[in-house]
Amino acid sequence: MTRSFVSHVFRFAPSPNGYLHLGHAFSALMNREMAAATGGSLLLRMEDIDVERCRPEFEQAIYEDLAWLGLEWEEPVRRQSEHFDAYAEAVASLAERALVYPCFCSRADVANTAAERTDWPRDPDGSPLYPGTCKHLAPAERRARLAAGEPAAWRLDMAAALGQVRQPLAQPITQPITWREYGGGAERREIVGDPSLWGDVILARKDVPASYHVAVVVDDALQGITDVVRGEDLFMATSLHRLLQILLDLPAPAYHHHELLRDAAGRKLSKSLRAKSLRAMRREGISAAAIKEQLGIARRVFAFA
Ligand code: GLU
């Protein structure tokens, strides 16, 4: 085991909107192994801004499943639903610099506009890019609709954000937007990201004054996370996270995006596709040791500086 001078802080950040499956076990154990390999610590964070879908019984189940896998984490656990103020403040600081604008469109509005053209551009997750409808509202209409209490999401003005050298920012963007990506071993690469692929993303939703993207960068900074270890389905989102870190003057962690576990049909394990839960496996008599063996965690060698 090597211990470096900078202490490493890792986090596992599940959403309590369902039961954990093998893919979560893999990610959590990777974080644990990497924390052990670096003499660092592991935090657990509940990403529960979706207050409709997240439930206390799923949160409780996460604690039980992780403890069963032999994980230990530092207390207290940060619960994002208790920190909406922090996320709203971050979005407000972007609003002060005119880097976000209110958007009154519904999902259906965006989908309908996108459906007008077969080649409508899509973001890396496959969602249609925002057509910019509310970006072009006259300031008076915008003010009137906000004053009338019409629900609004807040979207990043991507063009303004990327051209922000002309904006009065504390820390002007230095292109290109990059991050440090670890491999499974000692190798690391400098990745050049392109946040513009995401278009004018929502940073604060209509129902809650936050979004995954804002909450994750605010919390990673507040919690002093030095190493973000998560699935490769979030690789492309990292360019957006780096952009937000630069705009909000937050430190940049290093990243490791690990491979995803897939089912026999090659689809990534997911709650929505009803991947078998860890608790169902436990009920069937499978041991935590057998799960770790199956995941091959013990055979992985991690070398960090
Ligand atoms: N809450 C996210 C998930 O459950 C993970 C986000 C992250 O690790 O950055 O997929």
Side-chain angles (χ1 to χ4, degrees):
M1 185 166 105
T2 54
R3 188 180 258 281
S4 56
F5 290 106
V6 184
S7 110
H8 291 262
V9 184
F10 293 78
R11 88 306 195 266
F12 178 57
S15 294
N17 57 9
Y19 294 120
L20 300 186
H21 52 63
L22 265 186
H24 296 110
F26 183 69
S27 200
L29 289 164
M30 290 278 278
N31 271 285
R32 204 263 307 263
E33 289 305 306
M34 288 187 164
T38 55
S41 50
L42 175 61
L43 307 182
L44 176 60
R45 182 164 78 220
M46 290 296 156
E47 299 215 324
D48 60 350
I49 61 166
D50 194 333
V51 289
E52 292 291 314
R53 291 172 62 221
C54 293
R55 294 204 229 121
E57 59 267 33
F58 291 135
E59 181 177 329
Q60 194 50 42
I62 289 173
Y63 298 135
E64 288 166 19
D65 292 347
L66 294 181
W68 176 68
L69 284 173
L71 245 83
E72 286 174 14
W73 54 89
E74 291 187 3
E75 300 281 351
V77 169
R78 185 171 172 91
R79 215 182 263 125
Q80 291 188 324
S81 59
E82 293 169 355
H83 299 281
F84 283 124
D85 288 0
Y87 315 133
E89 204 179 295
V91 176
S93 92
L94 298 174
E96 277 164 25
R97 287 171 279 161
L99 294 175
V100 288
Y101 59 87
C103 172
F104 306 97
C105 295
S106 65
R107 247 174 217 266
D109 294 333
V110 177
N112 290 340
T113 309
E116 287 167 12
R117 250 177 54 195
T118 48
D119 61 343
W120 190 269
R122 292 180 177 266
D123 73 19
D125 283 346
S127 300
L129 288 190
Y130 182 60
T133 322
C134 289
K135 181 173 167 169
H136 307 296
L137 289 182
E141 176 178 353
R142 197 175 267 172
R143 274 195 305 274
R145 290 171 78 170
L146 284 175
E150 187 173 339
W154 288 81
R155 288 186 180 271
L156 181 65
D157 184 334
M158 183 61 81
L162 291 178
Q164 64 163 334
V165 270
R166 292 188 302 276
Q167 307 263 344
L169 289 186
Q171 187 193 340
I173 273 194
T174 49
Q175 294 275 19
I177 288 166
T178 63
W179 73 88
R180 236 168 358 120
E181 176 80 26
Y182 290 81
E187 77 277 13
R188 62 208 65 186
R189 296 175 292 155
E190 195 77 2
I191 305 285
V192 179
D194 181 4
S196 71
L197 296 175
W198 293 94
D200 287 1
V201 281
I202 290 183
L203 296 188
R205 296 167 19 169
K206 280 186 185 171
D207 58 338
V208 290
S211 63
Y212 159 64
H213 299 300
V214 162
V216 79
V217 298
V218 167
D219 281 359
D220 284 342
L222 272 170
Q223 295 191 290
I225 304 298
T226 58
D227 300 82
V228 172
V229 175
R230 60 186 180 189
E232 65 189 8
D233 50 342
L234 289 167
F235 182 88
M236 296 298 280
T238 305
S239 62
L240 181 55
H241 298 175
R242 287 289 302 117
L243 172 62
L244 293 174
Q245 285 157 357
I246 294 167
L247 295 173
L248 295 167
D249 202 9
L250 303 174
Y255 289 85
H256 171 58
H257 293 93
H258 59 70
E259 73 260 37
L260 299 174
L261 299 196
R262 298 187 182 274
D263 64 15
R267 296 169 309 188
K268 74 165 184 166
L269 297 187
S270 74
K271 290 169 192 158
S272 51
L273 289 173
R274 304 199 179 283
K276 188 182 278 186
S277 68
L278 293 176
R279 48 192 38 223
M281 297 174 94
R282 183 155 84 235
R283 269 199 308 271
E284 287 171 10
I286 300 174
S287 70
I291 285 184
K292 283 182 226 173
E293 181 56 32
Q294 182 184 345
L295 295 175
I297 298 282
R299 291 189 296 276
R300 286 167 181 268
V301 180
F302 300 113
F304 280 83

